[in-house]
Amino acid sequence: MTGLSPTSPPGEGPIDNGGTAALKPRRRFVLSAVLAVIALLLIVGGAQLALLGGSFYYLAAGIAVAATSWLAFKGDRRDVIVYAIFLGLTLVWAIWESGSDPWRLQSRLVAPIVLGLWVCWPWLRRFRALVIGVVAVGLVAFGVWLWQVNQLQTAPQQVVQGSDGSGEWAHYGNTIGGTRFSPLSQINQGNVARLAPAWTYRTGVIAGNGLGFQATPLMVNDTVYLCTPTNVVIALDPETGARRWQYDPNVDAPDAGTCRGVSYFAPPEATGPCARRIITATTDARLIAIDADDGKPCPAFGTNGSVDLTRGFGKIIKGYYYITSAPTIVRGRVVLGGWVTDGQYVGEPSGVIRAFDATTGEFAWAWDMDRPHEHDEPGPGETYSPGTANSWAPMSGDEELGLVYLPTGNSTPDYWGAHRSKGSEQYSSSVVALDIESGEARWSFQIVHHDVWDYDVSPQPTLIDIPVGGEMLPALLQTSKSGQFFMLDRRTGKPIRPVEERPVPQGAAPGDFLSPTQPFSPTLPAFDNTVLTPQSMWGLTPLDQLWCRIKFSQARYEGMFTPPGYPRSSITYPSFLGGVNWGGISVDPERKLAIVNWSRMANYTTMVSRAEADAKGYKRSLTGGAHVGQPVAQEGTPFALLTGPFLSPLNVPCTQPPFGKIGVVDLKTGKMKWKKPLGTASDSGPFNTRTHLPLPMGVPNTGGAVTTRSGLIFIAATQERAFRAFDLNSGKLVWRVPLPAGGHATPMTYISKKSGRQFVVIAAGGNAPLSSGAGDYVMAYALPKSN
C-alpha cells in the first residue's frame, strides 16, 4: 500500500526513527552536502594545522562531521548519535582549551550547536514545544543581557571645587601641555543623561583619502575655530554653530592627509588687524596666519600671510611632506614638524623640526637630527638631511621651562633600518625636548630602539605635576603604539618611575640588525602586554578560527618586538594602530588620573625580496599616498613588504575580543582604577557589514578623550558610530548618542558666553580603514535651555 513502509503496522504511516532518516530525501541531501563541505574544510585545514604542530581537534572534528554527512546521506539515524558525541567532545575540548573565557567558547561552540539543531531536528521536533521554549528563553535572556550591558547607568555626582576658569578651549589639548582636561562642571553625573544635540555644522568637505575628519576645534575669542581635511579654516558661533567666516587656502595636495587642528595666537601687546590670529599649516606644506576676527590672511606674516615650508628640502614629490597636526606655539614661536609618507624609499623628505616667529613668520631655527648643533637654514646647494625621523603628531610645550616636546617617528623606510643615520638611530621613536630659544636638544628619551615595527611615537606628550616623595615634580607622560607607558621628569628626561631594558627577540632580516633590548615600564600598566597563543586565535566560527590558527602557526611570533623576518611572515602585537595612537591620553591634573583608550589588534607582515618586489611591480607611490593593505615598496632596501591587520577571510580580527578598551590609571599608585571594552559590534561585522548587534566586544579606535572637573569622560573614537560619556571614578556608561559617521577625533568642551551653557563638540568624519563611514559633521551637545 502506498504511504506505508514495509515495517509499518496496517493503517499507520512510516515509523519516525529520528535522525535525518525522517527528513525528506531532498532536505536530507542538502544537509549531507553542507556537512560534507564543512567536513572537507575541517579535514584539509585540520591536517595542515596538525602538520604545523597545532591542535589535532579540527582534523578529528572533520572526520566526525564527515561521518555524520555520510550517515545523513544514507538516511541512517545514527547520524544524530555521532554528531551528539562529537558535540559533547567539542564541549569538553572547548572548556579544556578556553576555560571560562566567553569569546573563546563562542568561537568554538556556537556554530557547532546551531548546526547540531539542524542535524538533530527530526528527533528534536518530537519535543517541538520544549525546543521552541528553550530557544525563546535563550533569545530573551540574550536580549535582556544586551539591554543591561548597554543600559545607561547612574553615578553619584562628585563634589566639585575650584573655578570653572574661562570656559575656553585654547589649545589642541586645551592646555599647551596637552592634558585634554576641562575645569568645567556644569554637565555632571546628575544631568548628563539629558545632554541633547544643540547644533550641527556640515563643512561640505569629505576626506578623499579615507582618513576622515580628525579636527579638534578651539573655542577662544568667543568663536569656535576648526579646519577641514583640506585645510579650510572655519569660524563658528559657539552658541548656534552659524558660520562667521571661512578661509580656503586652496591646497594643492593630490592624496594628502588630514588636519587635526589650528592654533591661536594673541599677544597682549598686539593691536590692530591680526592682533588675534589663527595659525595653521597645510597638506601642501604652507604655514599660514589668518586674522581671527575676519578670516583674512595676515599680510605681514611671511609673504602675504604664508610661509613656504618646502624651503630647504630640495626636490620633493608632491604629497610626500605635509603637516597634519596643529602647530605648537611657545614663547611666541611656532614649532612644527611634518608628516613624511611611510615606507616608500630611502632618502624621503627630511624630518627636520623648525620654528618661526608667530608674528612675522620669520625663520627662527631648525633642528636637523643629523646636524643637531646647526640651527640655520641650509646654504646654497644644501638641503636638510633627507630620510631622518620626523614628528607628525601633536607636540606639547612648557612656557616656564622654555621647552617644546616632540614625539618622533622612525626613519623611512619603516621596516628595514640598516641604512639609517646616526641621528635617526638616536632620536627616532622618541620624545625629544628642544630649547625654544635656540632649537638645541636638551634631552631625549627613546621609546623604541631601532624601530622596524612602525611604532612611531604618535601620542602627544602630556604634561602634569606629580607628587613624588613629598615634592611636586614636573612630569611628562608618554604612551606609545607599543603599549608602554612612561613617566619622565620633563626638565631632564630622567624616568620618575622605573624603566627596564629587557631582552627581546632577535633575528633581523638579512642585512639589518636589531637592538638586543627594549625599554619597558614595569610599574605602570601596559596597553597592552597580551602574549598571543594558538588558543587565543579567534573567529566567528571554527572554520575561520582554524584559518587564523594555521596562519599563526605559519608565522614567526615570539612575543612583543618579534622582528619582521624573511622569508617567514611575522606577527606584530600590538599593531601599528597601537596600543595608543595619536589620540593620546587625557589627564585629570587634580585627581591625578590618566584616561587611556587603546586598540588590541595584530599585524601580519611578509617581507618580499627586492627581485620578487620588482617582478610584481611594487613601486613607490607617485603621489605620496600610502594606504593600509597595499604593498610597501621600501625602494633602496633589500626588501619590500606586505603588512596590515591580521584578519580572517571573513574580515574579522584573528585575535580575540575585546579589540579596543578604555581605562583609568591612578598616577599616584601606578595601578589601573578600572578598564572595560570600548564600543560594541553594532556597526561592524563580517565582510564589513553592520550587524546592528550591540555586543560589548570592544572595537578598534582612533581619537582621544576629554575629561571634565565634574568627573566625566567624553569619547567617540570607536569603529562604532557613537559618542559616549563615562563616569571617571567607576567607568559606568552614563550617556551615549549615535553619530552619522565615526568620531575619530578628540572632543572638546566650552562655555558659551551668550547663554552660559556648557557645550561638548565632536567632529564626525568616519575612517575608511575602520569602515566607520564618511562625513563632514561637527556635532555640538548641551543641556536643554532652561525656561
Side-chain angles (χ1 to χ4, degrees):
M1 292 184 293
T2 58
L4 298 180
S5 70
T7 57
S8 298
E12 296 184 13
I15 293 174
D16 184 356
N17 290 320
T20 52
L23 287 175
K24 294 180 179 180
R26 183 176 178 182
R27 295 180 182 177
R28 192 168 71 238
F29 296 154
V30 170
L31 173 59
S32 177
V34 171
L35 290 171
V37 171
I38 293 172
L40 178 63
L41 294 173
L42 286 171
I43 290 171
V44 173
Q48 187 177 6
L49 182 62
L51 289 173
L52 290 168
S55 172
F56 279 80
Y57 163 79
Y58 299 91
L59 177 59
I63 294 171
V65 174
T68 305
S69 172
W70 175 248
L71 293 171
F73 176 76
K74 292 175 62 179
D76 191 323
R77 65 181 180 179
R78 289 176 296 178
D79 59 348
V80 173
I81 298 173
V82 171
Y83 196 88
I85 294 173
F86 155 69
L87 199 58
L89 293 176
T90 294
L91 176 62
V92 172
W93 168 77
I95 294 173
W96 172 76
E97 193 172 64
S98 307
S100 59
D101 187 302
W103 292 114
R104 292 192 184 188
L105 291 173
Q106 169 269 315
S107 65
R108 290 160 172 80
L109 294 176
V110 171
I113 289 173
V114 171
L115 186 61
L117 290 175
W118 189 10
V119 172
C120 299
W121 179 245
W123 181 84
L124 292 173
R125 68 182 180 183
R126 299 177 181 182
F127 311 99
R128 184 175 304 168
L130 177 62
V131 172
I132 292 174
V134 170
V135 172
V137 169
L139 290 175
V140 169
F142 179 68
V144 169
W145 174 74
L146 276 184
W147 179 81
Q148 287 179 334
V149 297
N150 289 285
Q151 185 72 1
L152 299 181
Q153 299 174 283
T154 58
Q157 186 171 332
Q158 300 182 26
V159 176
V160 176
Q161 297 178 343
S163 166
D164 279 3
S166 66
E168 295 184 333
W169 190 277
H171 302 271
Y172 171 77
N174 196 23
T175 64
I176 195 173
T179 60
R180 296 172 180 80
F181 172 80
S182 170
L184 301 182
S185 58
Q186 184 184 111
I187 301 172
N188 54 53
Q189 288 83 351
N191 59 27
V192 66
R194 296 193 289 117
L195 210 57
W199 54 259
T200 299
Y201 180 81
R202 301 196 63 176
T203 67
V205 177
I206 294 179
N209 58 8
L211 292 180
F213 186 15
Q214 300 178 358
T216 296
L218 306 182
M219 204 300 286
V220 65
N221 190 33
D222 194 33
T223 304
V224 172
Y225 300 100
L226 60 102
C227 56
T228 73
T230 55
N231 299 115
V232 176
V233 180
I234 301 169
L236 304 177
D237 183 294
E239 179 70 27
T240 66
R243 191 175 73 190
R244 289 179 172 168
W245 56 256
Q246 175 175 300
Y247 172 78
D248 188 349
N250 296 307
V251 295
D252 181 16
D255 196 17
T258 189
C259 179
R260 296 188 185 90
V262 298
S263 299
Y264 179 79
F265 182 65
E269 69 278 4
T271 59
C274 285
R276 295 179 292 270
R277 60 184 60 189
I278 295 297
I279 296 181
T280 186
T282 66
T283 53
D284 60 357
R286 286 178 286 159
L287 181 65
I288 298 174
I290 309 161
D291 192 313
D293 293 331
D294 60 17
K296 296 179 180 178
C298 299
F301 184 89
T303 303
N304 298 321
S306 176
V307 173
D308 178 9
L309 295 176
T310 65
R311 193 172 64 202
F313 277 75
K315 184 179 180 181
I316 296 180
I317 300 173
K318 187 181 295 184
Y320 265 78
Y321 174 84
Y322 50 87
I323 318 300
T324 57
S325 296
T328 301
I329 304 175
V330 181
R331 294 186 181 179
R333 287 184 169 172
V334 182
V335 183
L336 69 168
W339 171 275
V340 176
T341 300
D342 285 353
Q344 298 303 301
Y345 65 95
V346 172
E348 288 191 42
S350 176
V352 63
I353 310 299
R354 287 170 292 175
F356 299 86
D357 187 283
T359 301
T360 65
E362 291 181 358
F363 172 84
W365 50 257
W367 181 67
D368 181 338
M369 61 182 63
D370 276 359
R371 295 179 291 185
H373 305 299
E374 300 176 21
H375 301 296
D376 294 330
E377 291 185 288
E382 298 179 332
T383 66
Y384 294 116
S385 302
T388 50
N390 62 328
S391 179
W392 58 268
M395 302 177 186
S396 299
D398 187 317
E399 289 276 356
E400 182 179 345
L401 294 176
L403 295 177
V404 60
Y405 304 96
L406 44 133
T408 65
N410 57 350
S411 178
T412 57
D414 301 71
Y415 294 88
W416 197 86
H419 63 287
R420 293 174 185 167
S421 66
K422 181 180 178 181
S424 288
E425 281 296 310
Q426 179 178 355
Y427 293 112
S428 67
S429 299
S430 302
V431 56
V432 181
L434 300 183
D435 188 298
I436 193 62
E437 303 296 340
S438 66
E440 192 74 11
R442 291 264 198 96
W443 60 261
S444 66
F445 179 87
Q446 193 160 57
I447 307 296
V448 180
H449 306 320
H450 193 70
D451 181 3
V452 289
W453 301 271
D454 196 15
Y455 276 165
D456 41 353
V457 182
S458 53
Q460 182 181 19
T462 304
L463 311 186
I464 182 177
D465 295 338
I466 295 287
V468 178
E471 64 174 325
M472 197 68 73
L473 293 184
L476 180 149
L477 306 177
Q478 189 63 63
T479 49
S480 63
K481 288 184 180 182
S482 65
Q484 294 300 302
F485 186 12
F486 298 97
M487 183 184 293
L488 311 175
D489 187 320
R490 67 176 181 266
R491 297 168 300 186
T492 63
K494 301 296 183 184
I496 294 175
R497 283 189 167 270
V499 174
E500 296 177 356
E501 290 285 338
R502 296 178 180 173
V504 292
Q506 296 297 292
D512 202 357
F513 63 93
L514 296 169
S515 171
T517 64
Q518 293 289 349
F520 288 80
S521 182
T523 64
L524 288 171
F527 307 103
D528 62 45
N529 56 359
T530 298
V531 176
L532 303 181
T533 64
Q535 292 77 19
S536 65
M537 293 299 99
W538 190 72
L540 292 177
T541 72
L543 293 177
D544 56 313
Q545 188 210 31
L546 170 60
W547 186 92
C548 291
R549 291 181 79 146
I550 291 170
K551 297 297 288 185
F552 181 86
S553 298
Q554 289 174 334
R556 180 185 179 189
Y557 177 73
E558 299 169 21
M560 194 171 178
F561 295 111
T562 298
Y566 176 82
R568 192 178 179 191
S569 298
S570 64
I571 294 172
T572 304
Y573 185 89
S575 73
F576 54 51
L577 180 63
V580 185
N581 210 315
W582 59 264
I585 64 175
S586 174
V587 169
D588 184 328
E590 298 168 353
R591 298 177 177 90
K592 310 303 180 187
L593 299 175
I595 297 84
V596 187
N597 58 287
W598 68 100
S599 295
R600 303 179 72 251
M601 300 279 286
N603 277 3
Y604 204 90
T605 300
T606 303
M607 304 285 277
V608 180
S609 71
R610 180 55 51 199
E612 183 180 354
D614 290 344
K616 291 183 176 180
Y618 295 171
K619 302 294 184 182
R620 72 175 75 173
S621 169
L622 298 178
T623 60
H627 302 285
V628 175
Q630 290 185 348
V632 181
Q634 297 201 137
E635 291 182 7
T637 75
F639 299 97
L641 82 154
L642 300 170
T643 189
F646 185 15
L647 304 177
S648 80
L650 301 184
N651 207 41
V652 299
C654 280
T655 48
Q656 72 177 69
F659 307 125
K661 284 187 173 182
I662 185 171
V664 169
V665 180
D666 187 325
L667 295 172
K668 298 187 295 293
T669 66
K671 305 297 184 183
M672 291 294 302
K673 189 176 178 71
W674 57 262
K675 60 182 177 180
K676 64 193 304 181
L678 177 60
T680 76
S682 294
D683 295 320
S684 55
F687 307 113
N688 292 331
T689 57
R690 300 174 68 181
T691 65
H692 302 286
L693 284 175
L695 291 169
M697 61 196 310
V699 290
N701 55 87
T702 60
V706 59
T707 312
T708 67
R709 175 174 279 153
S710 59
L712 292 175
I713 302 167
F714 289 96
I715 186 169
T718 60
Q719 187 178 36
E720 181 189 4
R721 305 171 195 186
F723 191 22
R724 292 176 166 83
F726 295 95
D727 177 65
L728 176 64
N729 278 339
S730 66
K732 291 180 178 178
L733 178 68
V734 292
W735 178 75
R736 178 192 179 280
V737 291
L739 292 173
H744 304 292
T746 299
M748 52 83 75
T749 184
Y750 61 86
I751 291 285
S752 167
K753 293 182 179 179
K754 182 176 180 179
S755 65
R757 290 194 298 163
Q758 181 182 351
F759 289 74
V760 182
V761 178
I762 182 73
N767 179 281
L770 291 182
S771 301
S772 58
D776 61 346
Y777 302 86
V778 184
M779 313 287 292
Y781 301 85
L783 296 173
K785 293 181 179 180
S786 56
N787 295 328

